[in-house]
């Protein structure tokens, strides 16, 4: 039975509600699941209750967007076993939610200037998503026939090199890690490949800097990682005393990767539980 420690729901940019996600995990016979929505824990309580009812191990999580400290690239910090309503974590996530809300109208304006007829209302659809993002725009572009796929929406318009790209304010990684630790959680560097580091030396520098800021773990198993890359990340985790995690980065129908499809070793979940219970990893985290 598989475990999956990286998933999204409608609380951010996934297409399944938290409860539907857990139902899906149950159909896929997952043993354990973490919900790691972008910059919000808004779906955690619902998923937790559903997982308990289905007898699936559940990890309350989050994925916080941070500043990678370089011009391009994405730095996401996963938080595991966080107290979802912790005020310190809330402060951090509210900052990112505001940055998200500020960016969407700028993207819509940029698209309008390119002659693409979409409205802010179509994107926000009533406005109840705390962590609105580019996939919400991409879905409208797709539904209205401006693009043929989500991938095309990112390549042509929304991605870092897209014609309607708009930057978003990003928070220091140390602050994301502090927020996760304050909420009793463990901080894990998500999909290191997305940092777009130039070479291994730069990767090591970034990881050293994050470890100094309190990083506890590194995501090794992820659909964007080849096996060779996973080996690199595993040995780097060893070198810095980090635990390893992984998951499918499931977004429902919004992305091709299937829940539980990453062959994440079961002991990843066991070690994560043990670590948060006994404070076995990472220095300076207050759990
Ligand atoms: P944002 O959170 O607004 O910065 O948007 C980033 C999100 O867009 C990621 O979390 C992915 O879910 C999604 N995404 C990024 N690149 C692509 C792509 N090429 N195709 C589909 N979805 C993507
Ligand atoms: Mn996403
Ligand atoms: Mn991510
Ligand atoms: Mn993710």
């Amino acid at each position: 039975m598989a475990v999956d420690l990286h998933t999204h729901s409608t609380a951010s940019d996934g297409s399944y509600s938290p409860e539907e996600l857990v139902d899906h995990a149950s159909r896929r016979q997952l043993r354990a699941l973490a919900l790691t929505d972008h910059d919000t824990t808004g779906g955690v309580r619902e998923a937790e209750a559903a997982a308990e009812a289905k007898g699936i191990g559940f990890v309350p999580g989050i994925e916080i967007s941070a500043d990678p400290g370089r011009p391009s690239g994405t730095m996401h910090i996963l938080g595991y076993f966080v107290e979802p309503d912790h005020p310190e974590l809330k402060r951090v996530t509210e900052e990112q939610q505001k940055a998200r809300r500020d960016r969407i109208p700028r993207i819509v304006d940029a698209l309008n200037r390119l002659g693409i007829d979409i409205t802010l209302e179509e994107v926000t659809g009533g406005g109840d998503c705390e962590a609105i993002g580019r996939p919400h725009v991409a879905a409208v572009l797709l539904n209205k026939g401006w693009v043929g796929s989500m991938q095309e929406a990112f390549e042509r318009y929304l991605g870092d090199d897209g014609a309607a790209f708009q930057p978003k304010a990003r928070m220091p990684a140390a602050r994301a890690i502090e927020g996760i630790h304050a909420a009793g959680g463990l901080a894990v560097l998500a999909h290191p490949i997305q940092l777009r580091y130039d070479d291994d030396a730069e990767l090591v520098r970034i990881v050293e800097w994050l470890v100094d800021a309190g990083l506890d773990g590194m995501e090794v198993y992820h659909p964007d990682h080849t096996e060779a890359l996973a080996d690199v990340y595993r040995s780097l985790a060893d070198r810095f005393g980090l635990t390893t995690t992984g998951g499918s980065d499931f977004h429902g129908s919004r992305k091709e990767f299937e829940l539980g499809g990453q062959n994440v070793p079961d002991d990843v979940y066991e070690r994560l539980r043990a670590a948060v219970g006994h404070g076995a990893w990472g220095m300076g985290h207050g759990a």
Side-chain angles (χ1 to χ4, degrees), residues 22-39:
V22 171
D23 283 349
H24 192 56
S26 170
R27 280 194 298 277
R28 304 267 304 160
Q29 299 192 303
L30 260 61
R31 203 164 67 79
L33 174 78
L35 179 64
T36 53
D37 274 311
H38 297 287
D39 302 316

Side-chain angles (χ1 to χ4, degrees), residues 8 13 38 135 249 251 255:
H8 296 268
D13 58 3
H38 297 287
D249 211 347
H251 282 70
K255 272 194 185 170

Side-chain angles (χ1 to χ4, degrees), residues 38 63 76 191 194 249:
H38 297 287
E63 180 175 24
H76 287 170
H191 41 57
Q194 290 187 16
D249 211 347

Side-chain angles (χ1 to χ4, degrees), residues 49-128:
E52 193 177 332
K54 296 272 184 196
I56 295 174
F58 182 73
V59 182
I62 191 162
E63 180 175 24
I64 301 179
S65 305
D67 187 343
R70 65 195 311 293
S72 70
T74 292
M75 180 180 279
H76 287 170
I77 308 290
L78 292 157
Y80 288 119
F81 288 108
V82 290
E83 159 57 50
D85 304 317
H86 195 282
E88 193 57 40
L89 184 61
K90 271 246 138 54
R91 268 194 284 281
V92 167
T93 56
E94 274 166 10
E95 217 174 276
Q96 264 314 287
Q97 288 165 17
K98 179 173 186 313
R100 288 177 169 282
R101 278 194 303 274
D102 289 349
R103 178 174 54 166
I104 297 297
R106 285 188 279 120
I107 297 177
V108 171
D109 283 347
L111 288 166
N112 290 162
R113 281 197 299 277
L114 292 167
I116 293 174
D117 167 34
I118 72 168
T119 66
L120 187 58
E121 289 66 36
E122 285 170 329
V123 174
T124 59
D128 60 350

Side-chain angles (χ1 to χ4, degrees), residues 46 86-87 106-107 145-146 166 168 188 200 210 216 227 259 273:
E46 180 183 323
H86 195 282
R106 285 188 279 120
I107 297 177
W146 291 101
Q166 295 293 317
K168 164 163 68 69
V188 172
D200 284 359
L210 291 174
D216 303 290
E227 279 191 29
L259 190 66
R273 273 168 56 106

